[in-house]
């Protein structure tokens, strides 16, 4: 993200690729290819450690561009890998993306600390039931209807005077609701402009809460995995500025539609 200056971003909100369980070169239903899969797509690997190590490069850049006391918010799920999908083990194994990303960040980025952890309870989860050995005991599996939202903070005090801090205050009702550790939020439905076009749409309520909690009007919000543009849409709608990165040009149209900006600047880079 060399275009972004050091210590220039107030808040980062992102939901990175979930290892290799989604192919972002395909449509939202994972049926048809809209693009050739990018070699530098961090999820384009069958080796989990490579995935975690590749993302560390992004987190290092996030640390560089964040202002002191800036927040990095990362939304990821648990990834149960069944033996039929990942045949290195007999039963199933859960890749705990939140834990592994956390260890990677805290071991390698000396100026980043874990500030808080929220649990997103998907109130209308559409995932197929995980039966395990049901109805017999022994190997009953949790239904995996939650995701994590980890809040990291860059060390230091932001000395910048917040001219808009009074206008950015949240209400008492918002404070009470947003600081509950479990967030009951439905997954997006057909009303979302990216439905059927992108396979992992973030609910607008998640970036909305994070932006209200951790930024002021006029602040700059960054999403290094823009996807369908949800973070950008919300950021602009509440008086913030937005910078986003996305590898797949196919999502340009839906991002523009969400941001309601017409043609946006779209830098296509050839990475050797």
């Amino acid at each position: 993200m060399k275009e972004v200056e050091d210590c220039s971003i107030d808040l980062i909100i992102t939901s990175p690729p979930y290892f290799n369980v989604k192919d972002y070169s395909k449509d939202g239903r994972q049926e048809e290819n809209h693009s050739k899969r990018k070699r530098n797509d961090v999820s384009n690997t069958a080796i989990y450690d490579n995935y975690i190590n590749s993302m560390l490069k992004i987190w290092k850049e996030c640390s560089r561009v964040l202002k002191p006391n800036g927040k990095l918010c990362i939304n990821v799920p648990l990834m149960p890998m069944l033996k039929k999908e990942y045949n290195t083990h007999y039963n199933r194994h859960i890749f705990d993306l939140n834990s592994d990303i956390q260890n990677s960040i805290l071991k390698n980025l000396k100026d980043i600390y874990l500030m808080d952890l929220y649990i997103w309870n998907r109130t209308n989860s559409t995932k197929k039931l995980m039966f395990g050995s049901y109805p017999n005991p022994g190997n009953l599996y949790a239904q995996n209807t939650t995701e994590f939202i980890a809040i990291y903070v860059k060390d230091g005090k932001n000395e910048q005077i917040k001219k808009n801090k009074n206008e950015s205050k949240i209400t008492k009702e918002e404070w009470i609701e947003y600081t509950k550790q479990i967030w009951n939020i439905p997954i997006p439905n057909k009303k979302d402009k990216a439905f059927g076009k992108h396979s992992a749409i973030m609910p607008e309520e998640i970036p909305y809460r994070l932006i209200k909690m951790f930024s002021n009007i006029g602040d700059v919000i960054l999403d290094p995995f823009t996807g369908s543009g949800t973070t950008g849409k919300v950021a602009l709608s509440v008086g913030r500025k937005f910078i986003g990165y996305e590898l797949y040009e196919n999502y340009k149209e839906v991002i523009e539609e969400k941001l309601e900006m017409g043609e946006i600047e779209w830098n296509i880079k050839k990475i050797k």
Side-chain angles (χ1 to χ4, degrees):
M1 296 188 289
K2 62 182 180 180
E3 301 83 4
V4 183
E5 294 181 1
D6 295 357
C7 302
S8 62
I9 300 297
D10 298 280
L11 173 63
I12 299 172
I13 300 171
T14 196
S15 184
Y18 299 165
F19 187 31
N20 63 359
V21 298
K22 299 281 187 182
D23 185 347
Y24 297 96
S25 66
K26 292 184 177 181
D27 62 18
R29 295 179 177 84
Q30 296 285 279
E31 294 173 352
E32 297 182 6
N33 285 86
H34 55 67
S35 308
K36 184 178 179 181
R37 195 160 192 190
K38 303 283 189 179
R39 184 172 60 86
N40 54 319
D41 179 344
V42 296
S43 67
N44 187 11
T45 178
I47 302 173
Y48 183 68
D49 286 345
N50 289 351
Y51 160 77
I52 294 296
N53 291 333
S54 293
M55 285 205 298
L56 180 58
K57 299 175 183 178
I58 288 97
W59 309 137
K60 286 180 178 178
E61 275 291 270
C62 288
S63 174
R64 177 185 67 80
V65 303
L66 267 180
K67 293 178 180 178
N69 199 46
K71 310 303 185 297
L72 166 61
C73 308
I74 304 174
N75 163 225
V76 287
L78 295 171
M79 295 303 308
M81 306 300 288
L82 298 178
K83 62 180 180 180
K84 65 179 181 180
E85 298 168 346
Y86 206 76
N87 60 9
T88 59
H89 50 276
Y90 175 74
N91 207 306
R92 76 167 184 176
H93 173 69
I94 291 180
F95 287 145
D96 187 343
L97 271 62
N98 177 67
S99 176
D100 292 334
I101 290 172
Q102 180 187 133
N103 287 331
S104 173
I105 288 175
L106 298 182
K107 285 181 179 178
N108 293 283
L109 304 182
K110 302 305 180 184
D111 58 348
I112 297 292
Y113 294 85
L114 182 63
M115 176 177 164
D116 260 323
L117 181 65
Y118 290 89
I119 297 171
W120 168 26
N121 176 37
R122 301 189 300 262
T123 57
N124 61 336
S125 180
T126 57
K127 286 185 175 292
K128 294 180 180 179
L129 292 176
M130 296 182 181
F131 290 97
S133 60
Y134 173 82
N136 300 311
N139 286 312
L140 298 178
Y141 300 152
Q143 294 304 321
N144 194 29
T145 57
T146 60
E147 297 190 15
F148 297 98
I149 304 167
I151 315 297
Y152 299 90
V153 59
K154 184 173 180 178
D155 195 24
K157 183 178 180 181
N158 190 344
E159 301 293 348
Q160 180 182 1
I161 298 174
K162 295 292 184 181
K163 295 181 180 179
N164 299 316
K165 63 181 181 180
N166 290 329
E167 292 86 348
S168 306
K169 288 181 178 178
I170 66 173
T171 66
K172 180 180 179 181
E173 290 74 22
E174 287 174 325
W175 171 69
I176 291 172
E177 186 63 25
Y178 295 174
T179 54
K180 292 177 181 176
Q181 201 161 27
I182 296 177
W183 290 358
N184 295 309
I185 300 173
I187 59 175
N189 55 27
K190 293 181 179 179
K191 294 180 180 179
D192 194 293
K193 293 177 180 179
F195 190 85
K197 300 177 182 178
H198 196 283
S199 59
I201 310 171
M202 180 190 288
E204 292 182 11
E205 181 67 15
I206 289 178
Y208 180 81
R209 291 187 182 197
L210 296 170
I211 289 169
K212 293 280 284 185
M213 293 170 72
F214 300 120
S215 73
N216 288 274
I217 291 172
D219 280 355
V220 182
I221 314 300
L222 169 71
D223 188 345
F225 297 100
T226 295
S228 66
T230 302
T231 298
K233 175 186 177 182
V234 177
L236 296 178
S237 72
V238 291
R240 276 66 166 174
K241 301 171 185 177
F242 176 68
I243 297 173
Y245 284 81
E246 175 54 47
L247 281 178
Y248 290 100
E249 189 181 359
N250 181 74
Y251 298 126
K252 178 174 183 284
E253 183 177 345
V254 70
I255 293 171
E256 289 176 346
E257 189 177 358
K258 278 194 175 186
L259 270 56
E260 297 178 346
M261 294 179 65
E263 281 293 315
I264 59 176
E265 181 180 352
W266 190 268
N267 285 327
I268 302 173
K269 300 177 182 177
K270 293 182 179 179
I271 301 178
K272 295 181 181 180

